[in-house]
């Protein structure tokens, strides 16, 4: 997103950009309450009053310290997380709900040691050695920047990432231009970096 916003700013330098760096549920509320015209989120179950415009499919990663006993593996499954110390997103967050449902479906018991409201905080707690966590692959660059090992989570169902806007309302010209740029990006190539 910073690269997209930088390119947008270069093209439309007279437009000020306000980024609400919040969890998905708050992004949905901001768009519905008209505090934001656009939101970038994972596709949610409840999208009443919103249009969802898909950008790309994302997968999940297991993050851990490079010294963790599983850090040498090429990929992990939910079963590999059995009984490991686990850092989770706060209850009620979409990522937490998806992970809890997958763990329940697999019959996996983890040892929850900490919860956080932001993925960056989850990464900090994992970097401090508190345990492992499962995060969206779009966090790979940030987590690797913290020195963490990022392993693909096999057999995990991916989630679509897209832009939300209010249904039955038109976008301002600046928001419409940003949406066009977002839709024209080669997200898969960017994610591969």
């Amino acid at each position: 997103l910073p690269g997209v916003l930088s390119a947008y700013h270069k093209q439309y330098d007279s437009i000020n950009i306000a980024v609400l760096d919040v969890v998905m549920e708050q992004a949905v509320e901001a768009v519905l309450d008209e505090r934001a015209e656009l939101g970038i989120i994972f596709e949610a179950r409840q999208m009443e009053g919103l249009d969802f415009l898909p950008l790309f499919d994302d997968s999940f990663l297991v993050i851990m310290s490079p010294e963790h006993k599983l850090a040498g593996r090429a990929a992990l499954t939910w079963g590999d997380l059995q009984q490991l110390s686990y850092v989770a997103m706060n209850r009620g967050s979409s990522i937490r709900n998806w992970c809890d449902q997958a763990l329940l479906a697999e019959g996996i018991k983890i040892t929850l040691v900490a919860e956080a409201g932001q993925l960056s905080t989850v990464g900090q707690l994992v970097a401090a050695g508190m345990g492992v966590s499962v995060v969206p692959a779009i966090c790979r660059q940030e987590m690797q920047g913290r020195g963490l090992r990022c392993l693909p989570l096999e057999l995990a169902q991916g989630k679509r990432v897209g832009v939300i806007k209010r249904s039955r309302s038109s976008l301002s010209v600046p928001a419409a231009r940003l949406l066009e740029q977002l839709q024209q990006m080669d997200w898969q190539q960017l994610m591969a970096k």
Side-chain angles (χ1 to χ4, degrees), residues 6-58:
S6 178
Y8 178 84
H9 179 68
K10 286 176 185 165
Q11 190 170 1
Y12 305 103
D13 63 351
S14 63
I15 296 172
N16 293 328
I17 300 167
V19 176
L20 300 174
D21 188 12
V22 296
V23 294
M24 184 174 124
E25 295 75 18
Q26 292 171 337
V28 169
E29 288 175 20
V31 172
L32 287 172
D33 294 346
E34 299 183 20
R35 290 179 283 127
E37 287 190 79
L38 301 173
I40 300 174
I41 67 167
F42 288 98
E43 187 172 20
R45 288 186 197 172
Q46 296 296 325
M47 301 289 277
E48 189 173 326
L50 297 171
D51 293 332
F52 180 82
L53 309 163
L55 296 173
F56 61 91
D57 291 330
D58 196 21

Side-chain angles (χ1 to χ4, degrees), residues 78-93:
W78 287 111
D80 294 322
L81 305 183
Q82 181 84 22
Q83 301 300 324
L84 292 181
S85 296
Y86 188 83
V87 179
M89 287 290 291
N90 284 338
R91 291 183 196 281
S93 72

Side-chain angles (χ1 to χ4, degrees), residues 113-145:
V113 295
E115 300 177 52
Q118 294 286 340
L119 287 165
S120 59
T121 307
V122 168
Q124 290 171 346
L125 295 171
V126 171
M130 291 191 68
V132 303
S133 190
V134 172
V135 300
I138 57 175
C139 300
R140 179 187 309 273
Q141 220 173 12
E142 177 184 353
M143 298 305 166
Q144 287 175 333

